[in-house]
Amino acid sequence: MSTERTVKISLQDVRKSFGARHVLNGINLDIKPSEVIAFIGSSGSGKSTLLRCINLLETIDDGAILLDGIDISEPGLNPDPYRRRIGMVFQNFNLFPHMTVLENIALAPRKVLGQSKKEADDHARELIDRLGLSDRADGYPDQLSGGQQQRVAIARSLAMNPEVMLLDEITSALDPELVGEVLDVVRELKSNGMTMLLATHEMGFAREISDRVCFLHQGQVLECAPPAEFFSQPQHERTQQFLQRVTDAGRL
Amino acid sequence: MSQPGVTRRQAFERRQKRRSVLIALTSTVIVIGLVVALVPQTPGWYKVKRSFFNGEVFNDTFSKLLSAFVKDIQIFLWCAPCILIWGMTLAVCRSVRTPALFPLRLFATAYTDIFRGIPVILTILLVGFGIPGLGLSRPWNSPYLWGSVALVLAYSSYVAEVFRAGIESVHESQRAGARSLGLSSGQTLQFVILPQAVRRVIPPLMNDFVSLQKDVALISLIGPIEILRQAGIDKSKYANFTPYVGAAIIFLLLTIPETRFVDHLMTRERRRTSGTAVR
């Protein structure tokens, strides 16, 4: 690219309701290339829905989502070409249980990008090695620990060479001792300059890895600030209450 | 207190097991004993024995029944793949969400409603007598052909429902996982949803095919000489019902192992998905 883009993803007044329930109430946010944004907030604040909307798994009711300046939320647009560029990792992994680890990772590159079996398998093995799963390549998801499954899910997403990664509470379903191995992978992604949006309950991790922490409350971004600032001087009363509750629960 | 090497639980379970075997054995012996002792006391037993369990007639007719049964197996063998393919097509049509393909969904829904609602025997009579009635020439008026078509029409509606249940049992998160990677909805169905759905419905599907094996005999109503028809002919010839008993035995020789096999598959599936069995 000749001119450095300053905005990778732009959320403009994004609104989404499920029936009478307004889940997203006008989200505005610009995300720069290689920026890591952590969304925090209580359950039901709209974190997951926002990520699913950016991945076009949910349609938005109003507003716009721009990827490199292109409105990908336009009604009627074929979402597939854009989904390829945006990887998503889910809380419950969503691995394909009838395929081996290798097959899980190589499926999309073969079917979507049209890579040959050898090409896709080679790339998949590289990713498997990189994420420390070399001995599990031919195992099935059910034979793996939660942490290993989540690393496979990340590898599956990375196999499409995405420009942006959306991580939806990827450690919430894991035993505490398995969280670390998954977070290590996210750290590595950051050091490689991946643009990432993550919804998380891991405050310590949000503080460590993100460039900005955004607090979501009732479908709105109440506050967005670099972590040092966000955690030491929260501006908004709701943010203060939330952080207080988290501190009381011993999660910070 | 307990024997060496045997836990309290193991000793208890051993005792339990011995006791239940004993009870089962005793009650079985009593029931069978009563049947054997009492049935011959009935006034009509001698006549029933002569006309249903006649050894001579059995010997004379059994081999002919067996060779007629080959026909049943043949009909089964060419119907089964057609049913699988057509049933799967219907199930996929019913699962399509694109509005443009709504007519297809409507058709599949109406089809399954109609053919599941009509007794198989009626479908066979209507198709088997109705279509050749159009004045078609050989081989297009063959009762084998239209009897088989009727079976395929009826059974594919059952099988379609089994497949559809399988498709719907695959969790929505699988679709989300596949679509998030950029797979199209068709690719998602082909590579992610259907392989899982088919695996889950194999045992119930086998049940339907055991039923099909028996219902092939209904084709006899429109003419072909398969086992039931052959038994009917022999019945008239010998003025004796023993050929029907012979036919029943031949069916059982095939369907009992089939059913046991399905049971085995189902138990295995249950154990695999739920871990342990609860008593």
Side-chain angles (χ1 to χ4, degrees):
Chain A
M1 250 179 282
S2 54
T3 51
E4 185 81 23
R5 279 194 182 277
T6 50
V7 179
K8 186 73 191 170
I9 289 183
S10 177
L11 306 175
Q12 300 176 350
D13 195 31
V14 172
R15 291 172 188 277
K16 170 79 183 172
S17 328
F18 291 111
R21 208 160 54 85
H22 300 288
V23 185
L24 301 179
N25 269 321
I27 303 267
N28 286 291
L29 192 67
D30 284 343
I31 297 116
K32 295 190 277 287
S34 295
E35 196 176 20
V36 176
I37 304 271
F39 291 107
I40 63 170
S42 44
S43 304
S45 58
K47 305 185 295 281
S48 290
T49 307
L50 180 59
L51 295 187
R52 290 174 68 90
C53 285
I54 297 173
N55 198 223
L56 308 178
L57 288 173
E58 306 278 0
T59 53
I60 60 172
D61 299 338
D62 204 1
I65 298 170
L66 274 56
L67 174 68
D68 285 340
I70 302 164
D71 183 359
I72 59 172
S73 61
E74 186 166 316
L77 198 73
N78 177 12
D80 293 338
Y82 302 102
R83 286 205 182 108
R84 277 168 223 173
R85 298 167 54 189
I86 305 176
M88 176 136 185
V89 183
F90 302 84
Q91 178 175 355
N92 294 312
F93 329 136
N94 299 11
L95 292 174
F96 309 134
H98 59 298
M99 296 182 187
T100 63
V101 166
L102 188 73
E103 289 164 348
N104 261 280
I105 299 172
L107 176 72
R110 283 178 63 190
K111 302 302 174 191
V112 178
L113 303 179
Q115 293 180 3
S116 70
K117 180 167 163 47
K118 188 181 176 318
E119 194 181 354
D121 283 0
D122 287 349
H123 186 206
R125 281 192 196 284
E126 260 170 53
L127 284 165
I128 289 171
D129 290 344
R130 191 172 131 202
L131 300 196
L133 295 159
S134 311
D135 51 336
R136 309 320 292 258
D138 298 315
Y140 285 87
D142 288 345
Q143 300 162 341
L144 271 55
S145 74
Q148 290 170 333
Q149 290 190 48
Q150 194 58 292
R151 281 184 282 156
V152 174
I154 295 173
R156 184 175 71 172
S157 225
L158 289 176
M160 294 294 287
N161 292 320
E163 300 158 29
V164 179
M165 288 282 276
L166 309 172
L167 311 178
D168 186 8
E169 299 191 20
I170 56 168
T171 56
S172 298
L174 300 180
D175 291 338
E177 77 260 32
L178 300 177
V179 168
E181 61 188 64
V182 172
L183 295 187
D184 282 342
V185 176
V186 182
R187 285 190 189 96
E188 199 216 308
L189 291 179
K190 179 179 164 76
S191 69
N192 291 336
M194 177 70 79
T195 311
M196 285 189 284
L197 280 71
L198 42 121
T200 186
H201 289 299
E202 305 276 342
M203 297 302 151
F205 185 65
R207 172 187 287 196
E208 173 204 327
I209 199 158
S210 62
D211 299 307
R212 276 190 290 167
V213 180
C214 295
F215 178 65
L216 254 69
H217 181 72
Q218 293 179 344
Q220 288 184 314
V221 177
L222 282 196
E223 194 163 348
C224 233
E229 202 178 306
F230 181 91
F231 287 103
S232 59
Q233 311 146 16
Q235 299 298 310
H236 205 284
E237 195 190 333
R238 291 282 183 192
T239 321
Q240 290 161 9
Q241 285 170 2
F242 177 77
L243 289 176
Q244 188 58 47
R245 277 209 306 279
V246 172
T247 315
D248 290 348
R251 294 292 294 266
L252 192 61
Chain B
M1 283 216 288
S2 59
Q3 291 163 268
V6 179
T7 65
R8 206 156 52 122
R9 162 66 50 186
Q10 283 170 336
F12 170 77
E13 280 180 355
R14 229 175 259 181
R15 265 199 318 276
Q16 266 319 70
K17 196 175 171 191
R18 218 174 296 146
R19 218 176 120 232
S20 28
V21 167
L22 202 68
I23 293 176
L25 212 65
T26 318
S27 62
T28 311
V29 167
I30 291 175
V31 169
I32 291 180
L34 282 176
V35 170
V36 170
L38 293 182
V39 170
Q41 307 294 317
T42 53
W45 168 243
Y46 175 69
K47 270 188 266 173
V48 168
K49 191 181 160 200
R50 202 182 48 195
S51 53
F52 282 87
F53 304 101
N54 188 318
E56 247 172 72
V57 177
F58 187 85
N59 286 337
D60 285 355
T61 55
F62 195 73
S63 63
K64 235 191 292 174
L65 289 178
L66 259 186
S67 47
F69 191 57
V70 171
K71 203 110 257 175
D72 292 73
I73 294 180
Q74 282 173 346
I75 295 171
F76 173 84
L77 287 180
W78 68 59
C79 283
C82 297
I83 289 167
L84 278 177
I85 293 167
W86 184 221
M88 174 63 90
T89 311
L90 288 166
V92 169
C93 287
R94 281 196 79 169
S95 309
V96 180
R97 297 176 186 182
T98 330
L101 299 178
F102 177 75
L104 219 58
R105 203 164 93 206
L106 191 71
F107 166 77
T109 310
Y111 179 97
T112 42
D113 279 354
I114 290 171
F115 285 104
R116 268 195 321 158
I118 304 176
V120 184
I121 198 166
L122 274 179
T123 308
I124 290 176
L125 288 173
L126 291 174
V127 174
F129 286 133
I131 293 180
L134 295 172
L136 303 171
S137 56
R138 274 160 63 94
W140 297 105
N141 58 2
S142 152
Y144 287 112
L145 174 66
W146 296 109
S148 305
V149 167
L151 281 176
V152 171
L153 287 173
Y155 267 82
S156 56
S157 70
Y158 309 151
V159 165
E161 285 300 284
V162 171
F163 277 136
R164 191 168 72 102
I167 290 172
E168 284 178 3
S169 77
V170 178
H171 197 267
E172 196 57 32
S173 64
Q174 287 289 309
R175 199 167 272 130
R179 296 308 301 274
S180 78
L181 292 165
L183 291 164
S184 68
S185 61
Q187 288 172 324
T188 301
L189 192 68
Q190 184 185 351
F191 301 115
V192 177
I193 309 294
L194 287 184
Q196 296 183 57
V198 169
R199 247 161 263 220
R200 281 184 209 180
V201 299
I202 285 174
L205 216 51
M206 298 282 290
N207 260 338
D208 274 346
F209 281 102
V210 172
S211 299
L212 173 65
Q213 179 67 72
K214 293 176 295 174
D215 280 353
V216 167
L218 294 175
I219 289 189
S220 67
L221 288 172
I222 55 171
I225 300 182
E226 48 68 70
I227 187 166
L228 184 57
R229 186 85 168 183
Q230 181 64 46
I233 291 168
D234 289 342
K235 177 211 69 177
S236 308
K237 186 168 147 200
Y238 290 89
N240 192 297
F241 288 106
T242 306
Y244 283 148
V245 176
I249 289 172
I250 291 172
F251 270 107
L252 289 177
L253 287 178
L254 191 67
T255 51
I256 288 180
E258 278 174 359
T259 317
R260 283 291 87 79
F261 181 63
V262 175
D263 284 351
H264 164 75
L265 281 183
M266 284 192 167
T267 320
R268 210 181 57 179
E269 176 71 14
R270 221 177 8 248
R271 223 177 276 145
R272 203 176 62 85
T273 49
S274 69
T276 68
V278 176
R279 268 175 298 182

